[in-house]
Amino acid sequence: MSESLSAPQLLRIRGKLETIVAEQAGTSKAEQATAALQRLRTGEYGYCVECGDEISAARLAAKPEVALCVDCQALKDEEEDA
């Protein structure tokens, strides 16, 4: 679990993720939130699923469902735009 996140931050993020799943069921964002909740349960939350680097606490607070660090997200976006 990301070392830069405090217990209260993790609780708020978990609540946000659960709200996304409940309110946006069937959407890709809900699927991402479900995957993030699974990473929370396994202790993998807060680390990029591509490179393993820690995702910043600010990024996670803004978009708790993200699975990629800023660098890997930028690479993915570039690939999609090509």
Side-chain angles (χ1 to χ4, degrees):
M1 191 109 30
S2 175
E3 296 173 15
S4 63
L5 295 170
S6 67
Q9 286 174 311
L10 285 170
L11 285 174
R12 280 192 298 276
I13 286 171
R14 181 178 171 201
K16 287 181 181 181
L17 290 169
E18 290 171 343
T19 298
I20 291 168
V21 170
E23 293 180 356
Q24 299 183 33
T27 66
S28 63
K29 189 168 183 173
E31 290 174 13
Q32 293 170 350
T34 299
L37 285 167
Q38 180 61 30
R39 290 192 303 277
L40 258 173
R41 286 184 207 98
T42 62
E44 298 169 358
Y45 184 77
Y47 295 96
C48 179
V49 298
E50 288 292 319
C51 70
D53 284 350
E54 192 168 354
I55 300 171
S56 74
R59 179 165 168 78
L60 292 170
K63 296 186 78 176
E65 73 280 5
V66 298
L68 301 174
C69 67
V70 173
D71 292 338
C72 288
Q73 184 66 56
L75 287 172
K76 180 181 177 192
D77 293 345
E78 285 177 14
E79 291 171 1
E80 290 175 359
D81 289 342

